[in-house]
Amino acid sequence: SFHLLSFLWRYGRRQRALLCCVLVAAWEAARGQLRYSVPEELPKGSFVGDVAKDLALELAALGARVVSPGRAQYFALHASSGHLVTAERIDREQLCDVVQQCVLRCELIVEGEMKVYAIEVEITDINDNAPSFREAEIELKMSEVTAPGSRFPLPEAHDPDVGVNSLQSYALSGDEHFSLSVQAGADGEKRPELVLAKALDREEAAFHELLLRASDGGDPARTGTARIRVAVLDANDNAPAFSQAVYTVRVPEDVPVGSTLLTVTATDPDDGTNGDVKYSLNKITQKASKIFHLESKTGAIRLVRNLDFEEWNSYELELQARDGGGLFDTAKVSISVTDVNDNAPEISVRSALSEISEDAAPGTVVALLHVQDRDSGANGEVRCSLGEGVPFRLERALDDYYSVVTARELDRERASEYNVTVRAADGGSPALRSGAVLALRVLDVNDNAPVFAEARYSARLPENNAEGALVLTVRAWDADWGQNARVRYRLREGRLRGAPLSSYVSVQAETGALYALRSFDYEEVREVELWVRAEDGGAPPLSSNVSVRLLIADENDNAPQVLYPPAAPGWAGVELAPRSAEPGALVAKVVAVDADAGQNAWLSYELAKATEPGLFRVGLHSGEVRTARSPLARDAARHSLVVVVKDRGRPALSATATLTVVLAESVAELLSELGSAAAPAEPAGSLTRWLVLAVAAVSCLFLAFLLLLLALRLRRWRRSRLLPPPSAGAALRGVPASHFVGIDGVRAFLRSYSHDVSLTADSRKSQLRCAGGSCCDTLPARPPSDVSDALVPMGDDMVVNRDHSSTERDYRRSDLQIKILPPWESALKWGLGGGAAWLHPLQSLR
């Protein structure tokens, strides 16, 4: 502190004052308030102060603006430089009429920080106004008996400037009878008085012309003049006298125009014109002269314009009562204006957000409000509040500033926008109220995952559906908005029967429609379990899954399949029924299955065709073929039964099975019956060969000769290569007897064997093939061994071929096919005899 005092002492008074002002400005800036000083009448855009530097803020980046409390904006802010400049030419006398220190206030709104700073700018006076008199010509009347030294008040000059630029001196010129005396009033004002320096003589001069000059202290000085005309009158020894030296009146600001506020009274005991009193305003401000009017005859002061307490709350007038002889008296009138609650609170939105994110933290500022009431006292006390049911609250920021902040977390799904009503009420009676509405839109945040309409979806899809068929549509809703609520669907990865799930079904990304990409077969896939994911368009996206179950509905697309008797080519199974069988004896059983399900797989059996109707019947549901009656002697030994197997589908599908039933008491009788039914067949191969040779011989002799030579050579070569099969009989005898069973007198194979024996003179074509047994318990047809007349000579070859033409069975494709040449006839007879040994009956097996 000692060094600071030493530093200040080195400088002069002016430098110390300037430094103090700088320190005061720095202190004001440190506590959030700036103060500047500029002279009046500066042109628009003149520099006032560097706000950005004084506040140490980057106003260009944060965004700032200047607002004034009133309607007029006197200052502006350069956004790029941060300088405070004048917005228009400022006239100090117009703004601050009688105030010595003219200070304009404004606020700096920093948008980026949502803060407000107070700024005060003092408007200093310049000498831009000359002193002026209210009347350019003044007329005075004086009696000739007026004693020298008498003083007469003169109208004061008015200079709107202040300080040294205001009125400083008066000067009088023009006549030696008068002099000028300037008195200093209690309020510091200079009041000119005309002093009679020399006695008047009306006969010498009836009028005296004087010039009163008023000068201010400006550099250069400005002056104003008024001409004084003094008329010398006859003697008047009584001056008017006011009833009060000071009149005081209090009126409310809402008093009607034209009302009489006060009536002053002055009396003069003189008679005639010397006692005729006239009232006039001796001293009045320019503003008051527009509001009040004085009746010169009655002394009534009337209101000619509305009073406004907020604009001016008191007025002082100086009245003069003058009689006809020129004598006068003065009095003061003090008019006080009382406040009336005639101004509602004013709410100004200085800064406000139009939209806010729903994840904004509690306490986020959304608006900055300025609230004021031009009334005073209780009428100017303002209480602010917000509408109910909104997640916002008010906080006082600075003096008359309020911040609207969020009171809790926002949820756009509950309310997407708010119209926040700010209400302000003053303390008057009755209270006046005003309001402002802040429109705030809540921006969406992706905080809601899609929700499916159902917890689990299921659908039935008939099999054999068309590719691309619509299965069902899943729907999900997202409570968010815009892109965050845009839902897209996709399948979750999976596999079905080793193939990707996406190869079976697909989902449309936009609509959620589920389509079948292939035709489903109930017999292969009966149920499909899959998951569909719904994902919104947020960042990051949110998703949810739903289970979809597809049940493949069976269609009657499979006809019954007969397992027994088999429908394979070459099958010639024979069922044996004893002639002594009782009614209801089991003969055979037709076994069939249906790949469908439900009633589509319910099978029924019926006998469609029989050689002897009424002899056999078929179980409706079991497929068992039983005797309907006992066989008679007249009944044929061989019977063909056609059994129809139907399902219960719509339409019904069916299959047929053909059974050959032989009525015989033993296997030998069975074989005898089978052998007697066989018939020889024409060897079509030899006929074709000789026909080709004949055509070739007729066509070309040369070609016939060549073919003959070739045939001879070929025949000799084939005979040399042909060898007899030494082990054919052993192979046939190697079938064990345990491979046969009997079922209720029906001899049948448990496991059948297929033997193809081909014997020719050419050993290359001689073969014996024994095929493995099948799963069918039936009796293969075999030609009986004791048939010898089936040998038909064909030149050098003999072919044994038995064909049961009566039962429409081709035994050339049966389980036993024998082709033999003459040298091997004994092998054929042996083979047939061995074949009889195969049919070894066993005990019946059901």
Side-chain angles (χ1 to χ4, degrees):
S1 61
F2 177 77
H3 293 289
L4 180 60
L5 292 174
S6 299
F7 177 79
L8 293 175
W9 184 258
R10 293 195 195 119
Y11 290 86
R13 178 179 299 174
R14 186 171 184 180
Q15 289 80 358
R16 288 198 299 271
L18 180 60
L19 183 59
C20 289
C21 292
V22 172
L23 292 176
V24 169
W27 171 256
E28 293 291 338
R31 66 190 185 95
Q33 182 173 349
L34 301 177
R35 187 178 181 89
Y36 300 99
S37 177
V38 295
E40 63 173 332
E41 300 297 334
L42 288 178
K44 180 180 179 180
S46 299
F47 176 81
V48 177
D50 193 345
V51 176
K53 179 179 179 182
D54 295 338
L55 292 177
L57 295 175
E58 292 292 338
L59 298 182
L62 295 176
R65 56 191 176 90
V66 172
V67 295
S68 299
R71 295 182 177 87
Q73 299 292 326
Y74 298 103
F75 303 99
L77 182 69
H78 277 171
S80 58
S81 63
H83 292 170
L84 184 67
V85 298
T86 58
E88 62 183 25
R89 187 179 295 274
I90 301 175
D91 187 359
R92 193 200 70 84
E93 289 74 28
Q94 183 180 358
L95 296 177
C96 309
D97 189 9
V98 294
V99 180
Q100 287 291 329
Q101 188 178 24
C102 184
V103 178
L104 297 181
R105 293 173 176 83
C106 60
E107 288 85 20
L108 175 67
I109 307 298
V110 181
E111 301 282 358
E113 295 182 351
M114 298 296 277
K115 290 185 177 180
V116 59
Y117 297 90
I119 300 175
E120 293 183 357
V121 180
E122 181 181 3
I123 309 301
T124 59
D125 183 54
I126 63 173
N127 191 23
D128 58 336
N129 292 282
S132 61
F133 291 89
R134 186 165 175 266
E135 297 178 356
E137 292 185 1
I138 304 171
E139 183 174 350
L140 298 178
K141 295 180 179 181
M142 297 182 184
S143 176
E144 60 181 350
V145 296
T146 302
S150 298
R151 295 175 177 269
F152 301 92
L154 296 176
E156 295 178 10
H158 176 67
D159 192 342
D161 296 327
V162 296
V164 296
N165 297 326
S166 63
L167 180 65
Q168 298 294 324
S169 63
Y170 289 92
L172 184 66
S173 62
D175 199 320
E176 61 181 1
H177 288 83
F178 299 92
S179 64
L180 182 66
S181 175
V182 180
Q183 302 292 329
D187 53 0
E189 295 182 351
K190 295 177 174 60
R191 298 179 177 177
E193 294 180 350
L194 186 63
V195 181
L196 183 61
K198 186 178 179 181
L200 297 175
D201 188 357
R202 184 179 179 279
E203 288 69 27
E204 182 178 351
F207 298 93
H208 297 270
E209 298 287 342
L210 305 174
L211 181 64
L212 180 62
R213 179 180 289 106
S215 303
D216 60 20
D219 187 13
R222 293 176 177 267
T223 60
T225 59
R227 294 186 177 275
I228 303 174
R229 179 183 177 87
V230 180
V232 182
L233 303 176
D234 287 337
N236 182 20
D237 55 351
N238 290 292
F242 281 100
S243 59
Q244 294 177 225
V246 177
Y247 291 89
T248 303
V249 63
R250 296 175 63 86
V251 294
E253 61 175 326
D254 60 349
V255 64
V257 175
S259 301
T260 300
L261 305 182
L262 176 67
T263 301
V264 297
T265 304
T267 59
D268 191 328
D270 294 330
D271 292 331
T273 59
N274 293 331
D276 188 9
V277 179
K278 300 288 186 180
Y279 301 94
S280 62
L281 292 170
N282 188 44
K283 181 180 180 182
I284 188 173
T285 63
Q286 185 177 3
K287 182 177 295 186
S289 65
K290 298 178 181 179
I291 299 175
F292 306 103
H293 173 70
L294 176 63
E295 294 288 344
S296 61
K297 293 183 177 181
T298 62
I301 300 176
R302 288 189 302 103
L303 188 67
V304 295
R305 286 183 60 182
N306 289 320
L307 296 174
D308 191 352
F309 174 85
E310 290 73 33
E311 184 177 352
W312 209 258
N313 58 6
S314 65
Y315 301 90
E316 287 192 357
L317 313 177
E318 188 174 291
L319 307 183
Q320 187 180 75
R322 185 182 294 273
D323 60 16
L327 299 180
F328 62 90
D329 190 13
T330 60
K332 287 187 176 181
V333 176
S334 178
I335 301 175
S336 298
V337 181
T338 59
D339 184 43
V340 175
N341 191 23
D342 58 343
N343 292 283
E346 297 177 358
I347 301 175
S348 301
V349 180
R350 298 299 194 209
S351 179
L353 300 178
S354 61
E355 53 190 24
I356 184 173
S357 177
E358 66 174 319
D359 61 349
T364 302
V365 180
V366 299
L368 190 63
L369 309 176
H370 179 260
V371 182
Q372 67 174 0
D373 194 317
R374 299 179 61 195
D375 296 325
S376 61
N379 297 331
E381 295 178 358
V382 181
R383 299 180 303 277
C384 295
S385 62
L386 295 180
E388 297 180 356
V390 293
F392 303 97
R393 67 174 185 271
L394 280 174
E395 292 182 355
R396 184 177 290 273
L398 174 67
D399 294 337
D400 296 333
Y401 279 86
Y402 292 86
S403 297
V404 180
V405 301
T406 56
R408 60 177 184 270
E409 292 184 352
L410 304 177
D411 189 355
R412 192 207 65 84
E413 288 68 42
R414 291 185 178 179
S416 60
E417 61 182 18
Y418 292 95
N419 289 324
V420 183
T421 302
V422 182
R423 298 185 179 91
D426 57 25
S429 180
L432 298 180
R433 293 176 173 83
S434 62
V437 178
L438 303 175
L440 187 64
R441 186 164 61 93
V442 182
L443 298 180
D444 183 51
V445 174
N446 190 26
D447 56 349
N448 290 278
V451 177
F452 283 94
E454 299 180 20
R456 181 182 176 91
Y457 287 87
S458 63
R460 296 179 63 87
L461 179 67
E463 65 173 332
N464 303 320
N465 57 283
E467 295 182 1
L470 176 64
V471 180
L472 80 161
T473 300
V474 296
R475 288 293 177 87
W477 285 267
D478 196 310
D480 293 322
W481 182 81
Q483 185 67 21
N484 296 331
R486 183 181 180 185
V487 180
R488 295 181 66 85
Y489 306 89
R490 61 186 179 93
L491 284 178
R492 225 168 72 175
E493 292 299 329
R495 302 188 73 81
L496 179 63
R497 297 176 60 86
L501 191 60
S502 57
S503 66
Y504 284 86
V505 293
S506 69
V507 63
Q508 216 284 332
E510 299 294 337
T511 64
L514 199 67
Y515 296 96
L517 297 182
R518 62 170 66 178
S519 179
F520 284 93
D521 189 354
Y522 175 83
E523 288 71 37
E524 294 181 359
V525 179
R526 298 194 175 187
E527 182 177 316
V528 179
E529 288 280 353
L530 55 94
W531 290 84
V532 177
R533 170 172 292 179
E535 188 175 90
D536 60 26
L542 300 179
S543 63
S544 59
N545 300 317
V546 69
S547 173
V548 179
R549 183 184 184 190
L550 300 183
L551 299 176
I552 309 303
D554 182 47
E555 295 286 333
N556 192 26
D557 59 340
N558 291 281
Q561 182 180 358
V562 178
L563 300 180
Y564 183 83
W571 171 258
V574 177
E575 305 296 335
L576 179 61
R579 284 188 174 270
S580 60
E582 296 293 332
L586 179 63
V587 177
K589 182 175 183 177
V590 178
V591 180
V593 294
D594 196 315
D596 294 323
Q599 69 177 9
N600 294 330
W602 295 352
L603 301 181
S604 62
Y605 304 84
E606 63 180 58
L607 188 60
K609 182 179 180 182
T611 304
E612 183 66 34
L615 181 57
F616 299 99
R617 60 181 174 84
V618 178
L620 180 62
H621 300 295
S622 62
E624 296 177 346
V625 179
R626 297 180 181 269
T627 56
R629 59 177 175 81
S630 298
L632 303 176
R634 59 180 174 83
D635 292 334
R638 185 184 182 91
H639 296 268
S640 178
L641 305 180
V642 178
V643 179
V644 177
V645 184
K646 293 183 179 180
D647 57 24
R648 293 193 180 181
R650 293 184 180 178
L653 300 180
S654 63
T656 60
T658 303
L659 294 174
T660 301
V661 180
V662 176
L663 298 177
E665 292 295 340
S666 64
V667 175
E669 185 180 352
L670 171 64
L671 294 177
S672 176
E673 178 63 30
L674 292 176
S676 63
E682 287 291 335
S686 300
L687 179 61
T688 302
R689 185 175 65 238
W690 287 111
L691 180 61
V692 171
L693 289 175
V695 172
V698 172
S699 301
C700 183
L701 293 176
F702 181 74
L703 181 61
F705 178 76
L706 292 179
L707 291 176
L708 180 60
L709 291 179
L710 181 61
L712 293 176
R713 297 283 297 177
L714 181 62
R715 182 176 182 184
R716 186 179 295 110
W717 176 73
R718 289 174 61 187
R719 286 183 178 178
S720 64
R721 295 290 302 273
L722 184 62
L723 294 177
S727 59
L732 294 175
R733 294 189 183 93
V735 181
S738 61
H739 286 203
F740 302 91
V741 295
I743 302 175
D744 290 340
V746 180
R747 307 306 195 263
F749 280 111
L750 177 63
R751 181 178 298 172
S752 64
Y753 283 82
S754 175
H755 304 277
D756 288 344
V757 181
S758 298
L759 304 177
T760 65
D762 193 346
S763 61
R764 294 174 303 161
K765 295 186 178 180
S766 301
Q767 58 181 346
L768 171 64
R769 186 180 66 190
C770 297
S774 66
C775 62
C776 304
D777 297 333
T778 185
L779 180 62
R782 295 285 184 256
S785 59
D786 55 352
V787 178
S788 59
D789 56 353
L791 301 178
V792 180
M794 295 288 292
D796 294 336
D797 298 338
M798 292 188 67
V799 177
V800 178
N801 193 329
R802 296 194 175 273
D803 183 10
H804 291 189
S805 59
S806 61
T807 58
E808 300 181 1
R809 296 278 186 173
D810 187 1
Y811 283 93
R812 287 175 296 176
R813 298 176 57 192
S814 65
D815 293 317
L816 178 60
Q817 293 184 2
I818 301 175
K819 296 182 180 180
I820 189 168
L821 295 177
W824 310 103
E825 182 178 354
S826 59
L828 172 62
K829 294 181 181 260
W830 172 89
L832 294 176
W838 298 347
L839 305 178
H840 180 68
L842 298 178
Q843 298 297 327
S844 62
L845 176 63
R846 291 186 181 274

